[in-house]
Amino acid sequence: MARGGDVRFWGLDFPEPLPEREAEISAADLVATFSAGWTLGEVQSMLRSEGLLIPHGGLCLEHPASQWPVRAADLTLEQAIGFDFPHALGHLYGGWTDWVLGLTVEDANSPGSEVKLGSRVVKSVAGYDGQKLFCGALGAFGRIVSVTLRVYPLSVPLHADLRGSGGPPSEDCVLHRVRPADLAALEATVGEHALALDRLGAWAVYPLGQKEDPPLRFAGDQLWRYGQVPELNPAARRLLTQAKVQLDPNDQHQPALWRPA
Amino acid sequence: MPTTDRLRDGLAREIGAERILSGPSVERTYESDAYNVDRSQPTVVVLPESTDEVAKVVRWCRREGIPFTARGAGTGLSGGAMPALGGVVISTKKLNRILEIDLPNRRMRAQAGVTNIALSKAVAAHGLHFAPDPSSQTVATLGGNIAENSGGPHTLKYGVTAPHILGLTLIDAEGEILELERGFGPDWIGMVVGSEGTLGVVTEAWVRLTPVPEHVETALACFGTVREASECVSAIISRGVLPAALEMMDRNILMALRAAFGLEFPDATQAMLLVECDGPREACRQEIEAVEQAFRDFGAITQQRARDAAERAKLWTARKKGVGAMGRLAPSVVTHDGVIPRSKLPEMLDAVYEIAARYQIGVANLFHAGDGNLHPCFYFDDRDPRQVEAVVAAGTEVIQKCIELGGSVTGEHGIGVEKLDLMGLMFSPGDLAYQARLKEIFGTNELCNPCKVLPNQRGCQEHRLRWRGVAT
Ligand SMILES: Cc1cc2nc3c(=O)[nH]c(=O)nc-3n(C[C@H](O)[C@H](O)[C@H](O)COP(=O)(O)OP(=O)(O)OC[C@H]3O[C@@H](n4cnc5c(N)ncnc54)[C@H](O)[C@@H]3O)c2cc1C
């Protein structure tokens, strides 16, 4: 089974990666390029041997909550990017959209032809940053063929301060990067349920109650919900519809996703 | 293009006559940004004060088929704010209010015309700042920073503008008001930031406020060869240190600074490195010691560390005043902008000097070495057409070399109109066609800041000679 650690969310399948897997790491440039198919665990161990890492909280932290809802190590790189897989160190190092410097993707308009987006250097403002649209797109715009990432020295401080339970027991949980000011209120609301949070990063993971629905009262800058694909705001939905027309006009990738009811 | 009167009357009905400027002096003021090789005059300039007013202007332009171009302070270095096909310049001069400061959540909402420095000043008393720090920060606007995804000396650690934008209001090319925020789904904000005003007009943004670092250490070293200094840059990073800033200046810049401001440095100096580390006191101290060890290992002739804020400011003098001092070298200076993987710095700098020597023009380098973001400054006499030709050809060769080494045609100045022809060095026709489709997502039409970023756009080629002032 080539699909990474066989992780599946929301019933979404990602395309099978090509059998050939390649990796090119430059410690002096803090840049690494990987073909699709490597899991995050594999990538981190290759980087580690060069004194580098992706500062993804899901892997850097031992707390069980950081492994929720799946072990991040089992995601393929393209899944992690497609899900914009959240983590507890965003306040220090950002997330996938900041780390993905460039992508090679298959043009869904003309299958088989590859397109290069972004660059292979840590700083570039040439052209439109289409690589950023693939972060969080759940694979809806097409297949990722290879990824160039900004990586960090192994020595960078990893300050997440997770506390709380050993991870939420319920299936339908949310993972939330809340506004710092809302942390205390969030704790008060869901405190009796399992809750793990990182005060510094204002990052929390907690189960949805059966009757109450706390998370949307704490609209934060990132929301991940295990039970269902999160809703998009009206502007994002409008752009997504147009993006599908432009990038995947035959709706071959994640066709049922975010479709208006 | 309809007459000035028709534009004035139509727009006056939308936002009031007092917000519309026209006439010869207005045309001259707004015909270019800080890249003044190409020029094109607007018919009118509008000064809206709110998101709604910008939306009204854009919808009116759309209905009437009039091109429109957003403009902040006009400090752009690639012609982005030049109204390439004339029409309406939408100035953000009066969109200059800070709307909300949310200290507990470390964020602030401001209109697009607020200057970069004003954002930081507004929260300085609370130990916070807006981290992107382009050298033009005293005048450059938030909207301009967003459009160009601007960086600065501290980009190495804190990143360019994109990660510091939490939400924004965009009037797209159809005149729709889009509220974009960071949330689940594709990173629309990341796509708008750096799009050079071609996807619409940003009227407001939520920016991230970053704590002013607890502790700062600044060190400077002089090297006897450029190669030692540039190899030292890679070594610092490879040793696991991520400084806040890592800047380099070569001998020609230093000589100009000596002439202009009496800067002192050993005579044998060929290059100078300025490194700043920040963060918790102990970690910061360890980092700067590792940097100083690298200075020694790579044969620094002298090195010094700032003991207080006054000394730090002194060490930064060479970097901050370098551009000003360049004026001493020759009547004209053209600053290029290219990026290479930083490990290729020694090879790249050798190439820059070789190219300049071959074309018999002067070159000085002061740049963001840690990011591999080169700024070779060619100095010459623009009254001599042969020198002008040589500078253009040498600049193209430098950028070609950046691409050959795996880099980018621009690290912070953008494509604008200046680098349209160079996009083909970095992207294939297929890549560029895909980028044109990315642009279409925003309903973008040929009216919204036309002829920028993508080469070979319809209706633009024939205007290029006119921009250079050589059309008949
Ligand atoms: C001396 C000097 C030093 C500089 N140093 C740096 C540096 O260190 N780092 C760096 O990155 N750049 C630097 N620059 C370049 C420039 O200052 C930046 O690109 C800056 O962000 C431009 O801001 P502005 O307000 O002047 O924008 P303008 O020049 O007015 O416009 C730039 C682009 O932004 C678009 N735009 C402006 N406002 C909006 C808006 N509200 N909505 C949509 N589009 C908009 C314009 O259409 C244009 O395409 C420097 C320039 C100078 C002259």
Side-chain angles (χ1 to χ4, degrees):
Chain A
M1 183 61 178
R3 200 178 51 234
D6 200 16
V7 179
R8 201 156 188 260
F9 279 129
W10 302 316
L12 299 176
D13 276 326
F14 276 63
E16 293 284 327
L18 303 171
E20 291 282 298
R21 296 194 305 176
E22 285 163 15
E24 196 185 319
I25 299 172
S26 169
D29 299 321
L30 298 182
V31 167
T33 299
F34 301 96
S35 53
W38 295 104
T39 64
L40 207 40
E42 290 170 324
V43 164
Q44 293 284 42
S45 84
M46 280 186 276
L47 289 172
R48 231 173 257 269
S49 65
E50 304 276 339
L52 303 169
L53 87 171
I54 302 169
H56 191 283
L59 283 181
C60 302
L61 303 169
E62 297 307 318
H63 195 286
S66 73
Q67 308 290 355
W68 184 89
V70 289
R71 261 170 42 86
D74 293 338
L75 294 166
T76 60
L77 208 44
E78 60 276 20
Q79 281 179 319
I81 291 167
F83 289 123
D84 191 12
F85 199 74
H87 68 113
L89 290 169
H91 61 294
L92 286 175
Y93 302 109
W96 293 101
T97 175
D98 305 304
W99 304 330
V100 175
L101 301 172
L103 289 178
T104 307
V105 299
E106 194 179 82
D107 184 350
N109 251 339
S110 69
S113 68
E114 291 180 2
V115 171
K116 205 179 89 186
L117 300 166
S119 73
R120 283 181 164 227
V121 277
V122 293
K123 198 174 180 193
S124 172
V125 291
Y128 296 109
D129 282 342
Q131 74 277 12
K132 302 218 170 194
L133 290 193
F134 282 74
C135 299
L138 302 175
F141 302 146
R143 172 204 283 268
I144 291 175
V145 177
S146 74
V147 181
T148 297
L149 292 172
R150 174 184 183 151
V151 294
Y152 287 73
L154 209 44
S155 56
V156 291
L158 304 173
H159 283 312
D161 173 25
L162 277 175
R163 50 186 86 184
S165 80
S170 135
E171 276 263 290
D172 196 9
C173 301
V174 288
L175 190 151
H176 208 160
R177 202 180 297 149
V178 291
R179 294 178 188 152
D182 288 339
L183 264 183
L186 176 63
E187 234 174 327
T189 310
V190 296
E192 73 272 23
H193 303 297
L195 169 78
L197 55 84
D198 167 26
R199 293 218 146 274
L200 220 56
W203 182 89
V205 49
Y206 52 92
L208 285 171
Q210 293 302 307
K211 297 187 191 69
E212 53 189 330
D213 189 13
L216 299 178
R217 267 187 281 149
F218 307 101
D221 66 354
Q222 195 155 97
L223 174 75
W224 177 274
R225 188 167 166 179
Y226 190 52
Q228 64 187 63
V229 179
E231 275 302 306
L232 298 178
N233 85 4
R237 178 176 277 282
R238 180 187 138 106
L239 290 171
L240 190 102
T241 308
Q242 287 161 203
K244 281 297 269 187
V245 172
Q246 291 300 329
L247 306 181
D248 181 25
N250 300 322
D251 207 9
Q252 296 166 58
H253 296 272
Q254 316 298 25
L257 191 67
W258 284 314
R259 199 162 275 149
Chain B
M1 181 65 59
T3 60
T4 307
D5 287 348
R6 220 193 95 205
L7 259 66
R8 278 195 77 98
D9 293 348
L11 287 164
R13 279 193 291 276
E14 300 294 325
I15 59 166
E18 69 285 1
R19 304 277 177 66
I20 299 159
L21 310 176
S22 62
S25 68
V26 170
E27 288 164 8
R28 267 197 309 279
T29 308
Y30 291 88
E31 68 184 7
S32 76
D33 56 13
Y35 168 77
N36 50 19
V37 173
D38 291 316
R39 294 159 199 264
S40 174
Q41 297 189 337
T43 314
V44 299
V45 174
V46 295
L47 301 165
E49 284 186 1
S50 67
T51 294
D52 279 346
E53 287 187 356
V54 175
K56 281 183 185 168
V57 171
V58 170
R59 284 179 205 143
W60 186 87
C61 288
R62 171 116 184 85
R63 270 197 315 273
E64 301 292 322
I66 308 292
F68 57 92
T69 300
R71 181 181 174 108
T75 64
L77 288 166
S78 56
M82 178 190 88
L85 301 182
V88 177
V89 163
I90 301 176
S91 164
T92 59
K93 201 171 184 161
K94 286 185 181 286
L95 287 164
N96 58 0
R97 282 173 301 137
I98 289 177
L99 302 168
E100 200 175 337
I101 297 176
D102 178 5
L103 290 176
N105 294 311
R106 289 186 183 160
R107 51 186 202 146
M108 165 158 66
R109 189 161 65 97
Q111 288 186 304
V114 175
T115 61
N116 172 296
I117 199 78
L119 296 172
S120 288
K121 278 189 179 159
V123 289
H126 304 282
L128 298 169
H129 73 306
F130 178 56
D133 59 343
S135 311
S136 52
Q137 66 183 161
T138 51
V139 286
T141 62
L142 173 59
N145 291 176
I146 290 173
E148 298 290 347
N149 199 8
S150 298
H154 293 85
T155 292
L156 181 58
K157 180 164 179 182
Y158 294 98
V160 280
T161 298
H164 302 278
I165 303 301
L166 302 174
L168 53 81
T169 306
L170 178 81
I171 312 301
D172 75 9
E174 308 280 341
E176 288 287 327
I177 302 175
L178 298 183
E179 301 287 350
L180 300 177
E181 55 191 41
R182 296 231 176 252
F184 198 83
D187 180 13
W188 302 111
I189 292 178
M191 174 78 187
V192 171
V193 177
S195 59
E196 304 192 22
T198 60
L199 302 182
V201 183
V202 174
T203 55
E204 294 175 12
W206 277 103
V207 305
R208 187 189 301 280
L209 299 174
T210 304
V212 174
E214 174 192 318
H215 189 71
V216 181
E217 293 280 4
T218 309
L220 181 143
C222 296
F223 293 83
T225 67
V226 171
R227 190 162 264 273
E228 282 165 341
S230 51
E231 284 172 352
C232 184
V233 170
S234 275
I236 290 169
I237 306 282
S238 315
R239 291 176 185 189
V241 179
L242 191 61
L246 205 179
E247 304 281 302
M248 183 162 161
M249 289 130 284
D250 74 1
R251 183 175 177 82
N252 285 344
I253 285 282
L254 298 176
M255 293 303 282
L257 280 157
R258 180 182 273 178
F261 305 110
L263 184 82
E264 289 170 18
F265 55 88
D267 281 339
T269 304
Q270 290 297 330
M272 186 185 267
L273 288 185
L274 175 72
V275 184
E276 191 155 279
C277 298
D278 67 20
R281 183 177 293 270
E282 186 48 30
C284 189
R285 198 186 50 75
Q286 283 173 14
E287 280 195 344
I288 206 75
E289 282 171 6
V291 168
E292 287 170 334
Q293 184 57 50
F295 285 166
R296 284 189 288 277
D297 294 346
F298 284 83
I301 314 168
T302 56
Q303 52 177 298
Q304 59 188 120
R305 195 192 312 182
R307 279 169 300 189
D308 52 34
E311 281 193 14
R312 176 168 315 116
K314 199 163 168 227
L315 296 192
W316 271 95
T317 308
R319 178 62 183 96
K320 296 215 161 158
K321 294 195 168 169
V323 173
M326 292 285 301
R328 300 253 165 168
L329 296 177
S332 279
V333 178
V334 166
T335 304
H336 281 281
D337 169 42
V339 186
I340 40 143
R342 75 171 75 73
S343 59
K344 302 282 197 293
L345 259 183
E347 183 179 346
M348 184 69 216
L349 287 171
D350 284 350
V352 169
Y353 293 118
E354 184 278 317
I355 292 166
R358 188 155 32 83
Y359 283 97
Q360 298 180 325
I361 43 177
V363 69
N365 289 284
L366 100 163
F367 62 101
H368 311 305
D371 293 321
N373 187 181
L374 232 42
H375 289 317
C377 308
F378 289 120
Y379 49 93
F380 61 107
D381 186 342
D382 62 356
R383 292 162 298 191
D384 175 357
R386 274 173 316 174
Q387 286 194 43
V388 176
E389 227 167 79
V391 164
V392 172
T396 304
E397 274 199 40
V398 165
I399 299 299
Q400 274 166 341
K401 183 74 183 175
C402 289
I403 299 302
E404 197 185 299
L405 294 177
S408 167
V409 297
T410 171
E412 45 185 36
H413 296 173
I415 299 298
V417 291
E418 183 203 10
K419 290 194 167 159
L420 286 171
D421 291 338
L422 300 179
M423 282 288 274
L425 294 176
M426 198 168 158
F427 298 106
S428 71
D431 298 340
L432 292 172
Y434 197 87
Q435 292 203 27
R437 276 153 52 204
L438 289 169
K439 187 178 171 192
E440 290 289 325
I441 294 170
F442 287 77
T444 304
N445 46 51
E446 284 146 20
L447 302 175
C448 181
N449 202 4
C451 307
K452 311 290 167 64
V453 182
L454 295 176
N456 304 323
Q457 290 180 65
R458 203 147 48 98
C460 294
Q461 277 311 100
E462 60 270 30
H463 289 272
R464 300 185 70 176
L465 292 178
R466 177 176 63 81
W467 302 337
R468 285 279 152 102
V470 292
T472 49

